[in-house]
Amino acid sequence: MKGEPRRNGHANRHLKIGQGLLFFFLLLLFLVLAGGCWDRRELENLAVVLGIGVHLPAQGEGYEVSFQIVRAAQIQGPTGETGGGGGTIKPVWILRTSGPTVFEAVRNATLQSSRRLFLAHNQAVIISTEVAQKGIMPALDFFLRDHESRSIQWLLLTPADPVEVLDAAAGLERVSALAINDLIEDYRSTSKIRPVNIGNYMETAMQKTSANTLPIIRVKETAGKRELLMDGTGVVKDDRLVGALNAKETRGLLWVLGEVKGGVNTVDLPDGAKATLEIFTAATKVKVEAIEEKVRVGIEVKVQSSLGAQTTTDDLSTPGQIKKLAALQGQVIEDEIRAALRKAKEYKADIFGFGEYLFKHDFPAWQRLVKEWERHFAGAEVEIKVEVQVENLGLVTRPAFPKETGEK
Amino acid sequence: MFEFLRRKLRLAHLRKKQPAPRRYRDLSPDLQTNLIAIRRELGASPDLITRCLQLGPGVASTGALLFIDGLIDQQVVNRDVIFPLLNRIEEGKRQDSEDFLNYLAQKVLAVGEIKKERELGQVVEALLEGDTILLLDGHGEALLLATKGWEKRAINEPDAERIILGPHDGFTENLRTNTAMLRRKITDPSLHFEEMKLGRRTRTGVVIAYLQGVANEKLVEEVRTRLKRVNIDMILDANYLAEYISDAPFSLFPTVAFTERPDVVAAKLLEGRVAIFVDGTPVVNTVPALFVENFQSPDDYNFPFYYATIIRWFRYLAFFLAVMSPALFVALGSYHQELIPTPLLITIGAATEGTPFPLVVEVVLMGAIFEIIREAGIRLARPVGQTISIVGALVIGEAVVTAGLVGAPTIIVVAITAIATFIVPDLLGPGIYLRLIYTLLAGVLGAYGIMLGALFTLLHLASLRSFGVPYLSPLVPFSAGDLKDVVVRAPIWAMETRPRLIGWSRLQRQPVGFTLAQEERKEEKEKDEG
Amino acid sequence: MIFLLLFVFLLLFLWEAPGLVAKEYWRELAVFTILLLAGLVISLLLVSGMELPYIESLWLQLFARLEKVFAPGP
Amino acid sequence: MEQGKISAGELALLVMSFTIGSWVVLPTGIQAWQNLWLIIFLGLGEGLLLIYFDLALFRRFPGKTLFEIHELVYGPFVGKLFSLCFLWFFLQMGGGTLGIFVTLLKTTVFTATPDLALLIPWVLILVYGCRQGIEVIARSNQLLIMGTVGLVLISILLVLNIFNPENLLPFFNLSFAEMLWISIGIAAFPFGQNILFLMILPRVNRWQKVTGAVCKGMIGAGLVLSTIQFLAVGVVGKAGQILVFPTFEFYRLINIGRVLTRLELIPLLNFLTMGFVKVILCLYALAVGTAHLFNLRTYRPLVIPLGLFLLLVAGRIYPDISEHIRYIQKVQTFLVLFFALLLPLVTLGVAFLRRLPRKGMTP
């Protein structure tokens, strides 16, 4: 040993590293032998849920939950033909269960499904108005608590049984839940619905003064097929559905919230003719002031739009006419906002978040007013200023009529 | 438990006794005795040629030339040794005088290197190395004539390290050729070679090459001591030494680098590293070897720097893919399906519909099949090897998917892994192990398992050193200046310093930016004088 | 289960002890053994179904008592 | 004993990881939610004061670990008693961190996996790393912290489309007393726990730079934590108050074109590495401390049994998460302040009264 002390020191170091490796293999062995794979779920054993509907049972307590589960094998084929070979088998499978809570209903699905339900990819939770009238949070709690379920699932309201929505034809898509997703994402081309996901809902529900809104989806019969239709907005106050806004009022709501991203306004011209203007950009500024007990709201909307269609033979492309158009569109927008305000005040539901604005920008005032916010909201004075600029005419100036009908 | 193993190993080391050095006698003055003695040493090997000759014309002396057939240059022996010995000796020389051998060496023999040797053992050794031995009757000394000359392979490009642009020469099996090639790359007196013979029976020439004043003196000394400790009977390749001298022989990661390219060796020497040449193999070891070196290719320096940088990043990505992609696939596919975008999940789900095995089994199985196909492709003759690849890739892959045994995504992942593997060939070995370990861990604990594996690998890598230099440097310990050849490949004119932890004895490589070489040299001279 | 536990601890002991013996690190060996035995006892208690207290619950109880002793805080 | 040396920079990064440690998944002072990111700075200031004060001990006895200082100040017996208290503190801190991360894993990803299957491999790797010495730990940490800082920077980009600055309003809607109380809680946990570094400081190659390095590390950690909290508030809004793991939730909300979604696993694993560094430092301090307590020549053989202790403590730290939240609110601050403020204060006082260190005691 004395002859080569360094050699031994060297070997020691070597083996220490070897020990580490062995150590690691032992660890691996332990894991594999321990039976492992507790949370494993193989892809082929998953039932991927894309849509969930929550409904109340016809009688008795609890919830009735329906699922839209994708049949992967039927949906395959990058070329887009329906179904690999089945053709007749629908690419989705609708399942319906019930239980005293939503969670138990979800678990009960395992009694009917050969595969485990997998919720992480769920696109939308659709609750029926009955549930919404009884209280939404009790139905929603599971979706917030469960680790698989996401806060970015869309939350929708449907007047009938949600299973109809899930079972409806999906239009160009293969799965209606994916269609719902696309319908909602395309809201910016109409700005007639307001998308809400579970996270948004929770966030607004946490605000003491605000009321929530939910988009409404319904099924419409077209040529014998049941198709989906987005239709207005439900108003939820204190977690209960209290009323609904139609498309126009929804637009008004979006104006105030500054969420208008596109869409069109149609204005009435003399002689019953109409012109439709497309909204390009829109910006909203809201200011809420509380002077003593009086709440004053200032809403300022700036819109840039373009002439999209006209039904009159007049030449609307002159500067004077364009100014007139802008004023008319401003009037329409103000009407929309007024309509929404009227509805909201009727329901005493602060869907615009005026109270929250006070909380954020004038905390003392909020503390003063929060106790009787409903009253203050209903009595709020709202001042609306709309500024429209028609920037564009499209590709033509005046309509193509042989005779000149414009000013000469 | 492992301590026992360790002690046993240590004892085994001690028990191995040093073989007692063989006693050699001196040569006797009698020619016949010497010839018999030499023949006895070598046995009746037919390649030992003994040519007895009568020196002349001036003197009447008998002598004998001995050489090994095939190790010498026959033409040189005939023309420059035998012919002068027979014809060129002047008259009047006393053939039994002490000076006679000197006279022969100085005036008669036309051979470059001649040594006098009196010990039989040395004579035999020289004979085996390709010298021609001249024994004279009546002299107790032999002349060793350097007439080495044997068949050599021509210089061609190494198969394992292909490049597109740049020098295409590679080392050969001949030590002298190799050192000469290096000399031609670095024409600087500070390039020092130190030769030693290692391997008790192979007596292989091993040469340490370094740049005096650039390489750290302690590093050279450490290489010397480690080489001296190598006690082995044969050295047939550079790896025989590498396994002996590496810092962490049990580690998966190579702490000694290999190359067959003179330009690579030259570049590494100029960074302050030490190269170890081994006779009989074109492979040269360089130390210290760092982790990031595995990702550097000579092409990086032969192409414009912006191109080299992006290619290097693709190499990092490829290594990551080669090690991680099967594990990530298993983790995503059987634990964290929520991370897969919905449309992709549906597509994958459809493709794996009805496969009987868990994903981890599929991946490990297909990975193993791939490794077998790869090995088969290497071992077989080239045309057959290609057939194997085609059969493996197309037939097995396609059939397995069609039969529904394995999902198509698995095949895709394994194929991506396979291709990525070849991009960093130096880490092929560690790659296989890491891939397997990570995949199994992912199969048991999903992404958490992969993270644990990665943590372990990180700790292990951080604990490694190669000849005193932390293996992960310059990443950790972090040295920002050295990232110029890691994160990017900086322009050549911007790489003005050597890696800090390797070349710290003389860090500056060149002046910053552009300076005229003449001026620089003058300045340097002034500095040296001052 | 108990046997498995004993086996694991034996393995841990064998892993570490011979090296310490070889280097004649007796104190280290003693401390190592004591600590390992302590760990073994606790593990055995846990395995045999004994309800050991939870550490943070203990602290909470202690502080609750302290609160009673001192005047009730804010 | 241990020969490895680390540089001041490496120490700073270690402090950073250690501080980020477990706070990042389970923040204290959640009642201040939308102001928390500001209060962190207040807490950081108080924490810096506290640690600067603790480091006075090290400056008085440079090159000595906390336990050596104890023995110098109190004599061997009483000193060992003090050291024993600290050993318990380290054990509970390490075990608690392990426990929190196992709870996190169990609630978010591995709901069916038994605790032990998650714990044992982790502890094994802890043991492996700890036996490699502080040098290796510090070096590995360099890469891990780079990952965390990188993640935070990337997060800023990822949440741009869902970040609502309005959520941050109003600033300071709490009374000053409330804010002070919450900031003290933050000063204690995570910043006060850095008292543990008194066991590691002698391993730094230049002790004069230690104070600066520790402060830099704490400031860095404060910035990281504050940024994460800032993003979380802006993204999650008020709803964060009812979440068990609020910092984690905002990653669940990331949604870029519905392709980059459900990313929470990545920060989860990243936070795990921070927890790993924290626990490994606890284990290291435990092992070195125990070795010193018994005058051992090496701490390495103790790592296995002490790792086992960590595992056992992690299993018996709290019965359920609500108990732990109660513990954080009621006990933790006092406990940490006891160890990080009171005991060092007493030690410093006694050292002052006994006129220590005398000449010839320090290098």
Side-chain angles (χ1 to χ4, degrees):
Chain A
M1 196 171 270
K2 223 175 179 185
E4 352 170 75
R6 288 205 62 172
R7 161 87 250 177
N8 286 340
H10 203 58
N12 250 342
R13 195 142 44 91
H14 288 178
L15 280 152
K16 217 165 266 166
I17 291 156
Q19 204 180 359
L21 259 183
L22 278 166
F23 193 78
F24 198 66
F25 276 112
L26 274 186
L27 157 67
L28 216 85
L29 202 71
F30 154 76
L31 283 173
V32 176
L33 288 183
C37 330
W38 299 269
D39 273 293
R40 206 185 69 212
R41 30 175 202 231
E42 289 298 323
L43 269 173
E44 59 263 25
N45 295 330
L46 283 186
V48 180
V49 177
L50 290 181
I52 293 180
V54 183
H55 193 42
L56 289 182
Q59 59 222 24
E61 291 284 289
Y63 293 96
E64 214 172 55
V65 182
S66 23
F67 305 91
Q68 186 186 59
I69 297 162
V70 66
R71 284 188 226 264
Q74 304 305 323
I75 213 166
Q76 200 204 6
T79 47
E81 76 259 40
T82 40
T88 52
I89 307 175
K90 274 185 92 166
V92 293
W93 178 41
I94 306 293
L95 190 66
R96 169 170 254 184
T97 63
S98 61
T101 62
V102 174
F103 185 36
E104 183 158 353
V106 169
R107 271 299 147 89
N108 283 344
T110 320
L111 297 173
Q112 295 174 48
S113 162
S114 59
R115 299 178 183 182
R116 223 191 112 208
L117 294 196
F118 185 59
L119 300 182
H121 282 271
N122 189 26
Q123 306 287 315
V125 176
I126 302 154
I127 48 183
S128 69
T129 42
E130 287 172 43
V131 176
Q133 278 154 3
K134 208 178 144 213
I136 295 174
M137 261 309 166
L140 217 54
D141 187 73
F142 163 73
F143 296 100
L144 296 172
R145 218 173 270 283
D146 188 63
H147 74 282
E148 267 183 17
S149 141
R150 304 284 131 168
S151 304
I152 56 170
Q153 300 167 72
W154 300 120
L155 193 58
L156 297 113
L157 209 58
T158 184
D161 189 342
V163 85
E164 286 180 18
V165 175
L166 295 178
D167 201 27
L172 295 172
E173 307 298 321
R174 298 192 194 98
V175 182
S176 69
L178 290 176
I180 293 171
N181 182 29
D182 293 344
L183 282 175
I184 292 175
E185 302 235 302
D186 284 346
Y187 90 96
R188 57 192 70 226
S189 55
T190 59
S191 290
K192 283 182 180 171
I193 51 166
R194 173 161 193 258
V196 173
N197 66 27
I198 289 183
N200 300 144
Y201 185 86
M202 174 164 68
E203 158 68 6
T204 313
M206 290 282 293
Q207 297 168 359
K208 275 203 178 112
T209 51
S210 302
N212 245 314
T213 57
L214 290 178
I216 296 173
I217 192 167
R218 62 171 86 239
V219 174
K220 186 185 164 209
E221 200 106 5
T222 315
K225 282 211 166 165
R226 302 163 72 78
E227 301 284 357
L228 296 173
L229 171 71
M230 303 295 297
D231 181 23
T233 302
V235 178
V236 178
K237 196 178 134 198
D238 296 334
D239 206 35
R240 280 178 173 75
L241 184 68
V242 292
L245 309 180
N246 60 22
K248 181 182 170 189
E249 290 150 0
T250 307
R251 173 76 66 77
L253 170 68
L254 288 172
W255 282 122
V256 178
L257 293 175
E259 289 177 10
V260 173
K261 301 277 192 249
V264 296
N265 279 130
T266 300
V267 299
D268 289 321
L269 299 172
D271 314 328
K274 291 189 192 303
T276 299
L277 293 121
E278 182 170 9
I279 303 159
F280 274 169
T281 54
T284 309
K285 253 187 214 157
V286 176
K287 205 164 161 54
V288 184
E289 279 174 326
I291 301 155
E292 297 299 317
E293 297 281 280
K294 194 79 193 143
V295 179
R296 297 161 67 100
V297 182
I299 300 168
E300 213 175 296
V301 182
K302 272 190 191 162
V303 178
Q304 274 147 5
S305 61
S306 123
L307 182 59
Q310 64 178 75
T311 58
T312 166
T313 53
D314 290 348
D315 181 3
L316 297 182
S317 66
T318 58
Q321 288 283 13
I322 287 213
K323 281 238 172 70
K324 231 178 267 171
L325 271 181
L328 283 170
Q329 192 188 4
Q331 197 54 49
V332 170
I333 290 170
E334 194 179 332
D335 278 354
E336 286 171 345
I337 297 174
R338 289 274 175 220
L341 274 169
R342 207 177 308 119
K343 262 288 176 58
K345 282 186 175 176
E346 184 186 312
Y347 299 136
K348 290 187 178 153
D350 181 6
I351 49 177
F352 310 104
F354 293 153
E356 188 63 15
Y357 184 94
L358 272 186
F359 172 81
K360 280 168 178 160
H361 295 95
D362 192 355
F363 187 60
W366 181 81
Q367 278 177 314
R368 217 167 52 234
L369 300 181
V370 63
K371 285 223 175 77
E372 287 187 69
W373 179 251
E374 275 186 21
R375 190 166 61 79
H376 295 301
F377 174 71
E381 238 175 62
V382 182
E383 197 180 307
I384 300 168
K385 234 172 94 185
V386 184
E387 208 176 290
V388 180
Q389 203 182 348
V390 180
E391 287 197 323
N392 236 325
L393 298 169
L395 294 178
V396 294
T397 50
R398 60 183 176 80
F401 283 99
K403 280 184 294 184
E404 285 207 8
T405 49
E407 59 219 67
K408 180 85 197 221
Chain B
M1 186 163 58
F2 294 95
E3 287 295 330
F4 284 137
L5 200 75
R6 179 195 297 189
R7 277 171 66 204
K8 196 148 187 157
L9 271 172
R10 192 184 297 168
L11 287 176
H13 268 294
L14 292 177
R15 229 178 279 127
K16 245 187 267 162
K17 272 191 189 157
Q18 302 282 331
R22 291 163 76 183
R23 283 260 169 73
Y24 283 109
R25 291 165 288 135
D26 280 352
L27 291 171
S28 94
D30 182 46
L31 178 63
Q32 284 311 313
T33 323
N34 285 339
L35 289 179
I36 290 166
I38 289 173
R39 284 222 187 88
R40 195 183 296 143
E41 284 289 330
L42 291 178
S45 307
D47 56 348
L48 174 66
I49 311 289
T50 312
R51 164 75 156 86
C52 291
L53 33 69
Q54 220 37 68
L55 272 55
V59 293
S61 172
T62 46
L65 279 174
L66 291 109
F67 52 85
I68 306 279
D69 193 16
L71 286 187
I72 51 117
D73 191 333
Q74 195 71 50
Q75 205 185 348
V76 171
V77 171
N78 290 348
R79 190 185 59 213
D80 302 334
V81 178
I82 300 181
F83 182 78
L85 281 177
L86 294 179
N87 300 320
R88 288 277 170 75
I89 295 174
E90 293 167 26
E91 287 184 39
K93 286 290 164 193
R94 293 196 47 196
Q95 48 102 356
D96 53 340
S97 76
E98 276 293 306
D99 284 342
F100 187 62
L101 284 179
N102 285 342
Y103 163 74
L104 284 182
Q106 283 163 9
K107 300 274 279 200
V108 180
L109 295 166
V111 177
E113 188 189 343
I114 300 178
K115 270 188 284 187
K116 262 203 287 189
E117 185 57 60
R118 148 188 316 279
E119 205 211 32
L120 183 63
Q122 297 292 328
V123 170
V124 171
E125 195 168 296
L127 182 65
L128 292 175
E129 278 170 16
D131 283 359
T132 300
I133 314 291
L134 174 62
L135 288 169
L136 285 184
D137 200 15
H139 285 270
E141 278 182 316
L143 284 182
L144 315 183
L145 315 176
T147 54
K148 291 187 183 81
W150 51 76
E151 294 302 319
K152 294 174 203 163
R153 186 166 64 92
I155 294 173
N156 41 23
E157 178 157 30
D159 267 343
E161 292 170 85
R162 289 278 175 88
I163 61 164
I164 303 172
L165 216 59
H168 288 279
D169 52 345
F171 285 127
T172 68
E173 280 76 7
N174 189 357
L175 183 61
R176 278 285 152 261
T177 318
N178 293 351
T179 52
M181 283 168 88
L182 190 60
R183 279 260 186 240
R184 283 195 40 222
K185 299 266 178 206
I186 307 174
T187 316
D188 192 288
S190 66
L191 172 61
H192 287 200
F193 292 123
E194 283 175 25
E195 181 154 6
M196 54 175 83
K197 298 267 181 216
L198 291 177
R200 280 197 311 280
R201 290 198 187 277
T202 53
R203 307 290 304 155
T204 312
V206 173
V207 168
I208 309 172
Y210 59 94
L211 283 178
Q212 179 78 38
V214 174
N216 183 358
E217 196 46 54
K218 275 187 195 151
L219 168 66
V220 180
E221 187 52 42
E222 180 67 26
V223 173
R224 265 184 225 127
T225 31
R226 286 200 196 174
L227 282 178
K228 274 180 199 142
R229 281 205 305 263
V230 174
N231 187 359
I232 184 177
D233 64 340
M234 63 168 180
I235 293 172
L236 300 180
D237 182 69
N239 190 43
Y240 284 66
L241 280 182
E243 291 203 1
Y244 250 92
I245 65 172
S246 91
D247 290 63
F250 281 95
S251 175
L252 290 177
F253 294 91
T255 45
V256 175
F258 299 88
T259 183
E260 286 187 48
R261 308 188 59 88
D263 50 337
V264 171
V265 171
K268 291 198 170 166
L269 288 188
L270 283 163
E271 280 183 342
R273 290 190 168 84
V274 173
I276 302 164
F277 289 78
V278 177
D279 197 8
T281 171
V283 183
V284 174
N285 290 329
T286 56
V287 290
L290 305 183
F291 186 64
V292 290
E293 268 176 63
N294 298 315
F295 298 94
Q296 296 168 347
S297 151
D299 258 349
D300 290 356
Y301 306 92
N302 305 339
F303 277 99
F305 62 90
Y306 48 84
Y307 174 73
T309 300
I310 187 119
I311 286 300
R312 190 170 279 175
W313 273 99
F314 278 120
R315 233 173 271 148
Y316 295 136
L317 177 70
F319 180 66
F320 178 80
L321 281 181
V323 171
M324 283 291 193
S325 58
L328 286 177
F329 177 63
V330 169
L332 287 182
S334 31
Y335 283 88
H336 314 292
Q337 290 93 349
E338 66 267 17
L339 278 167
I340 309 172
T342 312
L344 185 61
L345 176 79
I346 293 170
T347 315
I348 294 179
T352 54
E353 190 86 10
T355 50
F357 304 113
L359 216 48
V360 56
V361 176
E362 281 182 19
V363 169
V364 170
L365 213 69
M366 291 315 292
I369 289 175
F370 158 70
E371 293 296 340
I372 291 169
I373 293 172
R374 187 174 63 84
E375 190 63 15
I378 294 172
R379 295 288 158 249
L380 279 170
R382 234 163 244 175
V384 191
Q386 279 182 0
T387 322
I388 293 278
S389 317
I390 292 165
V391 169
L394 293 181
V395 180
I396 295 184
E398 184 64 33
V400 155
V401 172
T402 319
L405 292 177
V406 169
T410 310
I411 302 286
I412 296 170
V413 167
V414 171
I416 289 172
T417 313
I419 292 166
T421 307
F422 294 117
I423 292 180
V424 188
D426 292 351
L427 292 176
L428 210 63
I432 294 175
Y433 276 95
L434 290 181
R435 193 153 58 230
L436 184 68
I437 291 173
Y438 288 163
T439 311
L440 290 179
L441 276 175
V444 179
L445 283 175
Y448 179 62
I450 298 180
M451 190 208 69
L452 290 178
L455 269 180
F456 176 84
T457 316
L458 177 62
L459 285 168
H460 174 64
L461 282 173
S463 74
L464 283 182
R465 280 169 178 274
S466 174
F467 285 79
V469 181
Y471 193 52
L472 273 186
S473 72
L475 299 172
V476 283
F478 188 73
S479 87
D482 291 347
L483 294 184
K484 64 182 181 292
D485 203 11
V486 176
V487 176
V488 295
R489 204 281 275 158
I492 301 284
W493 44 263
M495 290 206 258
E496 71 263 14
T497 53
R498 308 196 155 85
R500 202 166 55 86
L501 281 168
I502 296 167
W504 52 264
S505 58
R506 183 168 284 188
L507 212 51
Q508 201 67 22
R509 199 202 283 260
Q510 68 215 23
V512 183
F514 303 94
T515 320
L516 284 177
Q518 296 290 330
E519 272 173 39
E520 174 60 24
R521 219 172 281 158
K522 206 189 289 170
E523 265 172 34
E524 212 168 64
K525 205 176 272 175
E526 276 162 18
K527 214 180 279 170
D528 283 353
E529 284 162 4
Chain C
M1 195 62 208
I2 290 174
F3 285 107
L4 187 70
L5 206 64
L6 286 173
F7 177 71
V8 168
F9 275 82
L10 195 69
L11 218 66
L12 288 180
F13 185 77
L14 285 180
W15 186 298
E16 197 66 64
L20 296 175
V21 174
K23 282 186 235 155
E24 303 189 342
Y25 276 14
W26 304 119
R27 283 180 74 89
E28 284 77 1
L29 184 65
V31 176
F32 169 76
T33 316
I34 291 167
L35 286 178
L36 203 65
L37 279 178
L40 177 65
V41 169
I42 300 174
S43 313
L44 279 176
L45 286 179
L46 280 177
V47 166
S48 58
M50 179 113 146
E51 275 296 315
L52 292 181
Y54 287 96
I55 292 160
E56 290 186 352
S57 310
L58 281 182
W59 281 112
L60 279 166
Q61 280 166 24
L62 185 73
F63 270 69
R65 230 166 262 168
L66 284 180
E67 262 177 21
K68 264 178 213 159
V69 174
F70 300 105
Chain D
M1 238 166 48
E2 154 97 83
Q3 296 303 320
K5 284 281 178 196
I6 59 175
S7 70
E10 284 172 334
L11 174 74
L13 293 181
L14 275 180
V15 172
M16 203 167 155
S17 301
F18 183 82
T19 313
I20 293 172
S22 54
W23 195 90
V24 72
V25 291
L26 204 64
T28 49
I30 196 93
Q31 58 272 39
W33 181 241
Q34 69 203 11
N35 293 319
L36 197 51
W37 65 280
L38 286 168
I39 295 180
I40 286 174
F41 289 115
L42 200 58
L44 171 66
E46 291 161 15
L48 280 175
L49 224 65
L50 181 70
I51 291 301
Y52 188 80
F53 170 73
D54 288 345
L55 289 181
L57 215 51
F58 179 72
R59 283 193 298 274
R60 209 176 168 91
F61 301 90
K64 296 264 184 284
T65 64
L66 182 61
F67 287 13
E68 283 165 331
I69 295 170
H70 280 156
E71 295 199 9
L72 281 176
V73 173
Y74 300 110
F77 183 73
V78 185
K80 278 192 193 332
L81 221 62
F82 269 76
S83 302
L84 213 59
C85 292
F86 271 97
L87 279 185
W88 172 258
F89 179 57
F90 298 154
L91 186 66
Q92 195 190 328
M93 181 158 52
T97 310
L98 266 182
I100 289 165
F101 277 99
V102 168
T103 308
L104 174 67
L105 279 172
K106 281 209 59 147
T107 25
T108 51
V109 189
F110 297 100
T111 43
T113 311
D115 286 5
L116 275 184
L118 296 173
L119 269 173
I120 290 178
W122 199 0
V123 170
L124 281 177
I125 290 172
L126 277 174
V127 166
Y128 172 80
C130 194
R131 286 170 70 105
Q132 304 286 326
I134 190 75
E135 256 182 29
V136 172
I137 298 172
R139 282 198 204 130
S140 312
N141 176 56
Q142 279 186 322
L143 281 186
L144 297 178
I145 191 79
M146 272 187 229
T148 304
V149 173
L151 176 84
V152 171
L153 295 180
I154 292 170
S155 318
I156 295 174
L157 295 179
L158 286 178
V159 301
L160 274 180
N161 64 338
I162 48 172
F163 186 83
N164 181 7
E166 288 263 304
N167 282 342
L168 297 165
L169 297 169
F171 302 131
F172 303 121
N173 59 338
L174 298 163
S175 69
F176 184 70
E178 274 178 300
M179 260 180 358
L180 195 68
W181 174 237
I182 292 167
S183 73
I184 287 174
I186 290 172
F189 171 74
F191 295 113
Q193 295 191 336
N194 284 323
I195 181 81
L196 177 134
F197 278 92
L198 281 179
M199 299 301 294
I200 292 164
L201 294 183
R203 300 262 64 83
V204 180
N205 52 11
R206 293 173 62 188
W207 68 269
Q208 295 88 341
K209 285 188 167 180
V210 156
T211 314
V214 172
C215 292
K216 270 182 218 156
M218 284 168 66
I219 292 169
L223 282 174
V224 167
L225 293 178
S226 179
T227 311
I228 292 178
Q229 199 56 38
F230 177 80
L231 296 178
V233 174
V235 171
V236 184
K238 278 212 179 89
Q241 282 167 320
I242 59 164
L243 298 168
V244 180
F245 303 111
T247 46
F248 177 71
E249 174 72 14
F250 87 85
Y251 285 101
R252 286 168 62 107
L253 287 169
I254 286 175
N255 180 1
I256 295 182
R258 277 185 113 76
V259 175
L260 276 183
T261 59
R262 316 176 188 91
L263 294 177
E264 75 268 12
L265 198 69
I266 293 157
L268 174 73
L269 296 181
N270 204 289
F271 296 159
L272 276 178
T273 61
M274 292 293 99
F276 178 82
V277 175
K278 181 164 180 178
V279 183
I280 206 170
L281 286 174
C282 289
L283 182 57
Y284 179 79
L286 262 177
V288 171
T290 317
H292 181 255
L293 213 58
F294 294 102
N295 290 327
L296 305 186
R297 278 158 289 188
T298 168
Y299 73 93
R300 287 194 166 78
L302 304 182
V303 173
I304 289 180
L306 288 172
L308 183 81
F309 275 25
L310 277 184
L311 199 149
L312 292 173
V313 169
R316 303 301 288 184
I317 187 80
Y318 48 79
D320 49 63
I321 187 76
S322 73
E323 183 92 342
H324 181 62
I325 291 171
R326 210 155 69 89
Y327 167 83
I328 287 180
Q329 285 166 353
K330 292 204 163 170
V331 181
Q332 184 161 266
T333 310
F334 298 108
L335 197 68
V336 176
L337 287 183
F338 176 73
F339 282 103
L341 185 66
L342 194 63
L343 288 187
L345 189 72
V346 171
T347 310
L348 207 58
V350 173
F352 183 73
L353 289 178
R354 291 188 59 192
R355 298 216 171 76
L356 290 172
R358 297 206 183 88
K359 268 175 196 159
M361 276 172 78
T362 46

